[in-house]
Amino acid sequence: MQFPSRRKRLINNAQEEMYGQPIQFYGQPPIENISLSEFETFAVERLKLLKTIENLGVSYVKQSEHYARKLESEFKNLHFPYREVDDRKVQTGPSEFEKRRKDHISHFILRLAYCQTEDLRRWFIQQEVDLFRFRFNELGSKQKLEFLHRNNLQYDTINVEEKKTLLDKLVSSSYAVSGITVEEQDFYKVPFQDALDLVRTRKVYLKAGYVYIPHQDIITIVINDFRTRLSKALALTARSLPIVHSDERLQPLLNHLSHAYVGQDYSIQKNVGKISLEQIDSLSGKSFPLCMKQLHQSLRENHHLRHGGRMQYGLFLKGIGLSLEQALQFWRSEFIRGKVDADKFDKQYAYSIRHMFGKEGRRADYTPYSCMKVILSNMPSQGDYHGCPFRHSDPELLKQKLQVYKVSPSGINQILELVKGMHYQLACQKYFELTHNVEDANFSLNHPNQYFVESQRLLSGGVREPKREPETPHKTKAPSAAVEVPEVIEDLDSFFQDA
Amino acid sequence: MPVSDYDQASLPDLLPLYYRRLFPFAQYYRWLHYGGVHKNYFQNREFSFTLKDDIYVRYQSFTTQSELEKEMQKMNPYKIDIGAVYSHRPNQHNTVKSGSFQALEKELVFDIDMTDYDDVRSCCSAADICSKCWTLMTIAIRILDRALREDFGFQHLLWVYSGRRGIHCWVCDEAARKLSVTARSAVAEYLSLVKGGEETLKKVILSDPIHPFIKESLLVVERYFTRYALHDQEILSRKETLDKVLALVPEDILLKELQQDFQNEKKPEIRWKLIKDQALKKQATNKKGHHFEKEIMLQYCYPRLDVNVSKGVNHLLKSPFSVHPKTGRISVPIDLKELEKFDPFAVPTISLICEELDRPIPGEVEEKVDDKENEKDATERRKIRDYKRTSLAKYVKYFDQFLDGVARSWKGELLRKSDLQKEF
């Protein structure tokens, strides 16, 4: 019988239509059923990809060779599509089709998580635009044309007559356009509103509201189009969020994604009891990140910390290896020096410390906050000392603080530049490099406890680990998809409980 | 009576008269209503008023022409600014959920202020202007008007004298009103050639290839350069100004040679030719900085616009037909067909036109008012004739012509919309 095979072919054709190229505008949301675990996995892996793009984008010149190589290896590791593949080559691992499907679905899931606030939207758009730009540039010229036509960018080309008439003007409008360019390449007539960067810098010929762009420059237009579409889509998505959030399976996951930290969570205490309370003061000077240093100092000075500060600092201390008994002693002795007497402490504060260690209530073992969590949640207000100093401190105050900690003026400037660009974790990493007197931290900072561990390792003259790709969870295990995923899902579980 | 009879202290007496009998409310409403193509376009427009004693009120809005008239006649503003069309009525913005009240559309505007040219004009400085430096505004209008029309495809441009020392341009095309902040700033950057402040000596730097826009602008500048720069501003004749010009010439040009030549040659045209010859020589060698004669012309003549004014969708700009409190002059639209003849000192002041109101026009017959019914019509008619008695007439007439042009564009829109609704 012919019917089944024909039907199968039809379905394949439809799928090929949708995933015909390794890159897309994400105009159509996916309409299939997927399992909850696929939902989680896809989302988390795309998030890792976007974070890599962010980190690489700050550390290297975009489109440079270094950038390209590092990004390509990340694509391969996480199984995302990035260029046309030769069908004849034998594929190991997921097929190109499966990669493109994952690309499609994961993008839409992250839209749900990142549409909620202006900050999140801005971040998401920036990384997706960079991702798009990279993949578009990887396309061959024929494929670029194909992409434009598939996506209804009906920018008209001008005919030979018009090209002849405009030859002089076209050549004198752009350094990159020569007489040969005009002859050989197609020129597109594009409304000036779609090519603002070229108009602003006067790098293009403009007539009656249209710019005349050679085929080689069409990328700028396409990128802007992508950015605009995504921006509008996110605004629309935000409006339909209440419906999505009403699904109990999705809400915790989506909340977690937008605060996501996808690496080691320092919940498994490795060094319990190895640190004595007497060491804390000196450790805070040498190996604490600025946020924790600030909290420790304020605790010592005021003999008190508010709830936000107690949580952030308390969990950090747990992460560096304080035992419950030590923690209780630590907080108690400090609070007693203040306005709290022993009784009050035992009644009011001890409970919450035991809670942190999972000895009360739901007995959930809370995990120390990642940088993302510190930066994004629980904004400090008057009287608070928690948060991330690079994000939450006034730049002038931050500068003064850094001066007190003897950071050089040029170092302070570098840090402030990073802060201005909203790269708070990189600013902290730079702070690490300056205070430990190293050129390169050799790790990608994502967690205050990671800062502590790396600092201690450096100071004790430990063997430097070879530089890892960002977001590799366990330093001891070989990076492979199978191992990473369970680790991350464990992290998600703990966050569900946290909520 | 001479026009210079204006005294700022008499504003409280003149303004009520101006707003009651002279201000062209009908035309004003016709403009900002834009044919009613978009619902609530006029109602959601922000106006701001500066009242007596420098009291400034924002977020004024009106539902009808008559409401606008009544309010203005009640408040007698010293200054009127026009802002954006918002998502809600500006005078109700406090009742709107925060974040929802947004500026949606506004004309694309440009503001050219003579003080921005202080480093290149020697006849006046600061708030002063004279007929010599006014040429700079003429040049600015010619260059920008051409570019906005031919390069950007805009058609409905209203150029307005600010009342003291500058000009404004209101681009009223629908496409212009819908431009985003990014787009407006891109347009303004495209039109900007003079960059740098006090610290920068050389404010214009050209590199190959010379963009067609720059070529066109240079054509305009060249038409005025001899009369304006060489004769009126005497940039090559007086020592201080000559030194400033020579500071813009690249170092490897034999300055000594030029200075020697200038000892023998005092005529500015010849001196300029000598400079141009040096430039030609340099262009032949194709080394850097070989467009310096063009750069000099542009630095002295090219329009200097404030990008920040053009960028913001919600930016407030002085309204046409507003009075300038310091000079008393009305912000009148400029007819480009008469641009060369435009004299800012001949622009009517509020005191002049108020005085002209009561002057009888020879041959005019006083209309008799028969009964109450006709009285209202007569008042209207008298009001319409009122501004016609004054020097304001020709400016309102020009404004009407401008509005006819704009109307043709939204009439097309209305037709299209009614076609879609299948109305007959």
Side-chain angles (χ1 to χ4, degrees), chain A residues 250-263:
Chain A
L250 298 184
Q251 195 210 13
L253 172 70
L254 293 176
N255 277 337
H256 165 62
L257 278 175
S258 54
H259 297 160
Y261 168 67
V262 286

Side-chain angles (χ1 to χ4, degrees), chain A residues 116-273:
Chain A
Q116 301 174 61
T117 70
E118 191 57 52
D119 276 344
L120 289 174
R121 285 201 278 247
R122 200 185 310 133
W123 182 87
F124 183 65
I125 292 175
Q126 183 58 51
Q127 312 322 320
E128 286 283 343
V129 164
D130 285 345
L131 173 62
F132 182 89
R133 182 188 292 117
F134 182 79
R135 296 201 287 198
F136 188 82
N137 277 331
E138 290 284 311
L139 290 176
S141 32
K142 227 180 62 159
Q143 293 152 350
K144 283 193 175 106
L145 253 180
E146 199 189 316
F147 179 78
L148 289 176
H149 291 157
R150 268 176 193 259
N151 289 284
N152 289 325
L153 286 174
Q154 306 295 4
Y155 294 137
D156 296 322
T157 50
I158 60 176
N159 59 31
V160 185
E161 293 294 304
E162 215 176 340
K163 267 207 250 182
K164 249 193 242 164
T165 326
L166 297 175
L167 176 63
D168 275 328
K169 302 253 162 77
L170 292 175
V171 169
S172 53
S173 302
S174 166
Y175 194 73
V177 173
S178 65
I180 303 177
T181 321
V182 179
E183 233 185 80
E184 291 181 352
Q185 285 195 30
D186 275 335
F187 268 73
Y188 296 79
K189 216 168 116 168
V190 174
F192 84 87
Q193 291 92 330
D194 289 356
L196 291 177
D197 280 336
L198 294 171
V199 170
R200 177 193 308 276
T201 51
R202 224 181 291 116
K203 287 206 166 103
V204 72
Y205 178 56
L206 173 63
K207 184 170 101 150
Y210 286 91
V211 293
Y212 291 76
I213 303 197
H215 182 71
Q216 68 202 20
D217 286 338
I218 214 78
I219 174 75
T220 320
I221 313 300
V222 177
I223 300 264
N224 285 337
D225 202 295
F226 178 76
R227 186 196 302 265
T228 316
R229 290 187 198 202
L230 184 54
S231 186
K232 286 199 188 128
L234 285 178
L236 277 173
T237 312
R239 277 185 234 161
S240 27
L241 259 190
I243 305 171
V244 174
H245 274 175
S246 64
D247 188 326
E248 302 164 336
R249 302 167 296 170
L250 298 184
Q251 195 210 13
L253 172 70
L254 293 176
N255 277 337
H256 165 62
L257 278 175
S258 54
H259 297 160
Y261 168 67
V262 286
Q264 192 178 3
D265 61 9
Y266 300 95
S267 60
I268 304 160
Q269 293 186 278
K270 292 193 205 153
N271 301 310
V272 184

Side-chain angles (χ1 to χ4, degrees), chain A residues 371-431:
Chain A
C371 288
M372 249 324 199
K373 183 150 177 164
V374 171
I375 290 170
L376 285 181
S377 40
N378 201 8
M379 268 260 301
S381 44
Q382 193 61 24
D384 285 325
Y385 294 90
H386 63 266
C388 171
F390 300 101
R391 163 79 177 90
H392 296 120
S393 274
D394 185 68
E396 268 311 305
L397 289 175
L398 178 62
K399 187 168 168 185
Q400 284 171 30
K401 237 178 264 180
L402 293 171
Q403 284 166 339
V404 169
Y405 294 133
K406 303 221 175 62
V407 179
S408 69
S410 70
I412 295 182
N413 281 338
Q414 285 176 48
I415 291 180
L416 291 177
E417 272 308 302
L418 286 168
V419 166
K420 218 176 9 159
M422 301 206 284
H423 305 294
Y424 308 116
Q425 284 153 263
L426 290 170
C428 191
Q429 205 170 301
K430 175 63 58 183
Y431 171 76

Side-chain angles (χ1 to χ4, degrees), chain A residues 288-490:
Chain A
F288 280 14
L290 202 57
C291 54
M292 302 304 173
K293 209 162 165 169
Q294 182 172 286
L295 282 165
H296 179 75
Q297 206 167 338
S298 150
L299 176 63
R300 287 285 188 230
E301 276 170 28
N302 304 320
H303 310 299
H304 189 268
L305 271 182
R306 285 205 188 158
H307 180 258
R310 291 201 303 274
M311 288 301 284
Q312 185 175 323
Y313 190 38
L315 287 170
F316 170 77
L317 289 174
K318 182 172 89 143
I320 69 173
L322 243 57
S323 69
L324 174 59
E325 291 69 35
Q326 286 178 304
L328 282 168
Q329 194 184 342
F330 174 72
W331 291 99
R332 194 172 197 263
S333 65
E334 199 55 56
F335 271 50
I336 286 180
R337 276 190 221 139
K339 298 196 197 133
V340 178
D341 64 40
D343 247 357
K344 189 171 177 202
F345 180 84
D346 288 334
K347 284 204 188 108
Q348 291 191 330
Y349 296 99
Y351 176 88
S352 80
I353 296 171
R354 283 201 297 277
H355 203 254
M356 267 188 239
F357 279 76
K359 305 285 186 237
E360 296 284 355
R362 271 176 305 174
R363 318 256 162 194
D365 206 3
Y366 285 88
T367 50
Y369 295 175
S370 66
C371 288
M372 249 324 199
K373 183 150 177 164
V374 171
I375 290 170
L376 285 181
S377 40
N378 201 8
M379 268 260 301
S381 44
Q382 193 61 24
D384 285 325
Y385 294 90
H386 63 266
C388 171
F390 300 101
R391 163 79 177 90
H392 296 120
S393 274
D394 185 68
E396 268 311 305
L397 289 175
L398 178 62
K399 187 168 168 185
Q400 284 171 30
K401 237 178 264 180
L402 293 171
Q403 284 166 339
V404 169
Y405 294 133
K406 303 221 175 62
V407 179
S408 69
S410 70
I412 295 182
N413 281 338
Q414 285 176 48
I415 291 180
L416 291 177
E417 272 308 302
L418 286 168
V419 166
K420 218 176 9 159
M422 301 206 284
H423 305 294
Y424 308 116
Q425 284 153 263
L426 290 170
C428 191
Q429 205 170 301
K430 175 63 58 183
Y431 171 76
F432 180 95
E433 287 163 5
L434 292 164
T435 50
H436 289 75
N437 229 336
V438 291
E439 279 269 334
D440 194 350
N442 246 355
F443 65 92
S444 211
L445 181 64
N446 283 298
H447 200 294
N449 285 91
Q450 178 192 20
Y451 185 109
F452 179 79
V453 165
E454 292 292 337
S455 169
Q456 286 287 290
R457 179 178 289 141
L458 245 185
L459 292 174
S460 62
V463 174
R464 289 256 212 95
E465 300 264 328
K467 183 153 187 200
R468 296 277 170 171
E469 294 301 330
E471 316 308 345
T472 320
H474 265 316
K475 289 188 189 288
T476 46
K477 294 196 188 167
S480 78
V483 176
E484 283 174 16
V485 169
E487 166 96 34
V488 167
I489 291 194
E490 209 175 85

